Amino acid sequence: MRGKAKQRVSLILVVTMVLGTVLTGNTVFATGESSDEQDRIKINISKDSEQTVEQNVTQTIHVTAQGQCSQSVCLNVYLKNEDGSAATDIDAVNLLTSNQLTDKNTQKTIDETLKDSVTLNNGTKASPTAEWKNDKDDKGTVTSKYLQITMPADATAINFDMQLQYRTDEASYTKKVLVEAKAFEEEQDITEAAKRADESKENEATVVWEGQAVSQSESEAADENTDGENNINTVSETGVYTLYFEQSTIGDTGWDNATQISVYAFNSDSDKMGFQQMYKVPESGSKNIWKIIFNKPWNHVIFLVGTDDWSSGKQTVDLDVDWTKNSPCFKLTGEKSGERAKAQQGEYNETPLVADGITVYYDATLSKLSYAGTENVKNKGEGIPHSENDSIYIYATDGTTPYPYIAIMQKVPDENYKDVYKVTLPKGYTKIRFAAYLVSDTNVAANGDATDLVDIPEKMTKPCYYGDSSDDIIYQGTQGNRGGYWGEAYTVRDAETGKNATVVDVPNATEKRDADNLYVNTTIYDYYSDYELNGKNRDNYPKQGDVTNNRIYQPFRQFNMALSDYYQKNQAKSPLY
């Protein structure tokens, strides 16, 4: 139990979002039995504009803190939703860690943003240390998201900007976010410090993103499409790049009758993406337009017939991509250079899917895991997808008619959720199946690398299928589909709730103590195995004839991987676990 709060008081940072004005902001006193005027910090937050903006547009907030500190303090800048929950879907585009940068010309790391932002007692400048933090409850739910800045004891002020960004797939949205700053002395209880904040509210500001789909006549839509103003842009503000290929008829049956087009993208011999399968744009009709979305602007591409190799013998020459074009699209000319087809680049105006369709998500955090090297494993232990660079395919139906196009899910470019994929289906499709291979039916997967055909939930805002790991399905002698459960996208995985299952059935009993024994209170942590993380009870674990396999000796693959990723991200030199 914590002892009595120490009486020596430390200053708390003041966050000011006011440009060129005198600091008269919220004063927060540190906890302690004696506080005086010397030990305080004023916090002010202001925003650059009172305007409501659309998604992907940044809202700029100015943060300044001023005061005297008897020891080092922490300034916490919280991002909260209207209901007080953590605004985990908000990005701070100029307070990123170095591995989160998508556009180094416009985005800055935390170190760059906060460089020389602190003023010391002697008038010199200094740079504080800072990191983003997520507090979680016992169930793993994020309860607060905040930037924590640690200030030296001789700091008198800090001044910096935050740029916040909101992204959504919804056509109609209103997102309000409260930015709130509080300062705390080291080791001080945060809840006690919060109670001493006054009611001026100058340490907080609210920013809003709002958008509404606007209906229009068909003629108006046609006019806009003609001008190229209504097509889906190649380079979105989330940093993805869309490339198209028109499968034109050139009198070559290999190209004319191709049922799959792939692309090989590269910048140089050492900087290359390799093969990626394209997927057909449903609205392209007889034009046979194929599409792929990159997370970086590859300078050179080669299109080819087939899936992932050069075996078809049908490929284009090396093509240079002009990313200044709005939705660049390559079309075969009918000419050749040797055996390789030539193509010319133009633009393609893709018509967006109907607004009343549905976007379905798939979380591959666990299903992607490979169990390569494990004894008696199917298909080299590959998951969904087969590898980081492979695709996730879907089969969808309205109950009668299958979706008539090759549908490949696209990875969502999000640093916090690196393994989330999505696909948008027209209205009426209610059932879906996910697979690591091109799937066009409901046949049971031979290697556990496809799911059952499942109903898409009607009442979820962002229905996401959380695929299971391959803990048992890839070891079974018979065929079988991989499991999973539905939940909202971008939430903490909880298979036990999602499957309405009891993973650990510990019986309740009345404790009876023996006076001759010494009892010690302790806390025991039960880390779920891979099998249990799929929402399964170990009582039902398959019987094993061969006890030398990795399922016996290494049942915590997912847990070990999470620890390894955490230590690597935090640059631990000698991790211990």
Side-chain angles (χ1 to χ4, degrees):
M1 180 179 292
R2 285 284 300 274
K4 184 177 180 181
K6 53 184 179 180
Q7 297 182 6
R8 188 172 183 181
V9 182
S10 296
L11 274 194
I12 298 170
L13 290 182
V14 178
V15 177
T16 304
M17 300 202 160
V18 182
L19 292 178
T21 59
V22 178
L23 285 178
T24 58
N26 186 41
T27 301
V28 182
F29 291 95
T31 302
E33 295 184 357
S34 62
S35 295
D36 54 33
E37 290 296 310
Q38 181 182 0
D39 291 320
R40 67 179 183 182
I41 292 181
K42 295 178 182 178
I43 300 178
N44 246 286
I45 293 182
S46 68
K47 51 188 178 181
D48 200 30
S49 171
E50 294 295 331
Q51 298 293 323
T52 296
V53 299
E54 295 182 347
Q55 66 154 319
N56 296 321
V57 177
T58 57
Q59 292 271 24
T60 300
I61 300 219
H62 310 288
V63 180
T64 304
Q66 198 170 50
Q68 296 294 324
C69 303
S70 56
Q71 62 184 33
S72 63
V73 297
C74 287
L75 173 65
N76 290 356
V77 184
Y78 297 87
L79 302 182
K80 300 180 179 180
N81 294 315
E82 287 185 277
D83 60 2
S85 61
T88 55
D89 53 350
I90 296 298
D91 296 326
V93 298
N94 67 338
L95 285 167
L96 298 172
T97 56
S98 58
N99 63 345
Q100 293 175 313
L101 291 176
T102 56
D103 184 351
K104 295 183 179 180
N105 295 320
T106 60
Q107 298 184 353
K108 296 180 180 180
T109 64
I110 293 178
D111 291 340
E112 291 171 331
T113 303
L114 297 180
K115 182 179 180 181
D116 296 333
S117 61
V118 174
T119 302
L120 303 178
N121 277 324
N122 60 8
T124 60
K125 299 292 185 178
S127 302
T129 59
E131 63 176 324
W132 282 100
K133 290 192 172 184
N134 290 329
D135 290 340
K136 298 181 180 181
D137 59 19
D138 294 339
K139 296 182 179 180
T141 302
V142 177
T143 57
S144 61
K145 174 182 178 178
Y146 57 96
L147 176 70
Q148 184 171 87
I149 305 173
T150 303
M151 306 288 288
D154 54 349
T156 60
I158 184 173
N159 196 326
F160 66 95
D161 289 345
M162 299 180 72
Q163 285 185 304
L164 305 179
Q165 183 184 68
Y166 173 64
R167 297 177 294 174
T168 180
D169 295 319
E170 302 300 322
S172 178
Y173 56 88
T174 298
K175 180 69 174 182
K176 295 182 179 179
V177 175
L178 173 68
V179 184
E180 183 182 33
K182 296 182 184 297
F184 310 98
E185 70 178 85
E186 270 192 334
E187 300 179 6
Q188 179 188 339
D189 186 276
I190 291 179
T191 57
E192 289 298 319
K195 293 176 184 178
R196 293 177 176 268
D198 64 27
E199 301 299 324
S200 68
K201 301 300 181 183
E202 293 184 23
N203 64 322
E204 62 184 48
T206 299
V207 290
V208 181
W209 290 265
E210 189 169 23
Q212 180 67 46
V214 180
S215 60
Q216 55 187 348
S217 67
E218 292 182 2
S219 60
E220 289 174 335
D223 289 340
E224 287 189 4
N225 279 332
T226 301
D227 295 334
E229 296 176 0
N230 194 43
N231 66 300
I232 297 178
N233 229 335
T234 293
V235 185
S236 72
E237 296 192 24
T238 57
V240 296
Y241 300 79
T242 308
L243 185 68
Y244 298 86
F245 176 81
E246 181 175 346
Q247 188 181 346
S248 52
T249 301
I250 60 173
D252 184 321
T253 55
W255 283 105
D256 296 350
N257 301 329
T259 58
Q260 178 64 57
I261 300 294
S262 297
V263 63
Y264 181 89
F266 62 100
N267 289 330
S268 64
D269 290 341
S270 59
D271 183 15
K272 55 190 176 182
M273 178 193 73
F275 296 101
Q276 283 288 306
Q277 296 179 33
M278 305 183 76
Y279 70 98
K280 192 173 292 185
V281 176
E283 292 75 28
S284 65
S286 60
K287 284 188 175 181
N288 285 337
I289 303 295
W290 296 80
K291 172 182 178 181
I292 191 168
I293 299 176
F294 299 135
N295 60 6
K296 63 184 290 185
W298 295 101
N299 296 323
H300 315 290
V301 295
I302 300 172
F303 297 97
L304 60 147
V305 172
T307 55
D308 59 357
D309 57 37
W310 311 105
S311 60
S312 70
K314 300 296 181 181
Q315 65 186 73
T316 66
V317 297
D318 295 9
L319 300 168
D320 298 331
V321 184
D322 181 2
W323 289 111
T324 63
K325 290 184 178 295
N326 196 26
S327 303
C329 178
F330 283 92
K331 179 179 180 180
L332 298 180
T333 64
E335 300 177 349
K336 288 187 176 181
S337 175
E339 294 299 320
R340 302 174 68 185
K342 292 184 178 180
Q344 61 184 11
Q345 185 173 191
E347 294 183 352
Y348 173 65
N349 293 338
E350 179 182 348
T351 304
L353 286 169
V354 291
D356 58 359
I358 184 172
T359 299
V360 181
Y361 298 80
Y362 182 89
D363 190 309
T365 305
L366 300 187
S367 70
K368 73 173 185 179
L369 296 181
S370 168
Y371 285 72
T374 304
E375 295 178 9
N376 302 320
V377 70
K378 294 180 182 177
N379 200 34
K380 301 178 182 179
E382 293 177 329
I384 304 177
H386 283 161
S387 73
E388 293 283 352
N389 295 323
D390 286 323
S391 302
I392 294 180
Y393 297 84
I394 65 106
Y395 168 82
T397 177
D398 59 4
T400 303
T401 306
Y403 188 57
Y405 304 100
I406 297 174
I408 300 176
M409 305 191 78
Q410 296 300 313
K411 182 176 287 190
V412 179
D414 191 303
E415 179 63 28
N416 295 319
Y417 297 91
K418 297 180 179 180
D419 297 297
V420 175
Y421 297 73
K422 69 177 181 180
V423 66
T424 301
L425 300 171
K427 183 179 180 180
Y429 288 89
T430 58
K431 298 177 182 293
I432 192 169
R433 184 188 192 195
F434 307 91
Y437 54 87
L438 189 61
V439 60
S440 58
D441 50 43
T442 59
N443 294 340
V444 177
N447 301 305
D449 48 358
T451 71
D452 292 326
L453 182 69
V454 291
D455 293 327
I456 302 172
E458 296 180 359
K459 296 182 179 180
M460 287 187 177
T461 304
K462 294 182 177 180
C464 179
Y465 195 80
Y466 289 83
D468 283 349
S469 73
S470 52
D471 179 68
D472 59 341
I473 195 69
I474 61 171
Y475 299 95
Q476 296 176 4
T478 57
Q479 295 182 344
N481 291 329
R482 189 177 299 247
Y485 66 93
W486 287 102
E488 290 286 355
Y490 311 122
T491 55
V492 176
R493 294 183 67 101
D494 184 359
E496 190 167 21
T497 300
K499 294 185 177 182
N500 192 26
T502 300
V503 173
V504 179
D505 46 0
V506 178
N508 293 321
T510 302
E511 180 183 15
K512 297 181 179 179
R513 296 204 173 196
D514 186 340
D516 294 332
N517 294 326
L518 173 64
Y519 295 86
V520 178
N521 292 329
T522 186
T523 301
I524 299 175
Y525 294 93
D526 176 20
Y527 297 106
Y528 281 8
S529 66
D530 289 8
Y531 187 78
E532 291 171 306
L533 285 174
N534 286 340
K536 299 178 180 179
N537 192 300
R538 287 180 66 87
D539 292 344
N540 302 317
Y541 201 78
K543 303 300 181 182
Q544 302 175 53
D546 179 8
V547 296
T548 64
N549 64 50
N550 288 5
R551 285 186 290 170
I552 288 293
Y553 293 111
Q554 298 187 34
F556 299 100
R557 161 70 189 278
Q558 298 165 25
F559 178 68
N560 291 337
M561 182 188 69
L563 284 177
S564 178
D565 288 348
Y566 175 82
Y567 282 124
Q568 184 177 22
K569 181 178 179 180
N570 290 275
Q571 299 179 337
K573 294 182 178 180
S574 301
L576 175 64
Y577 60 95

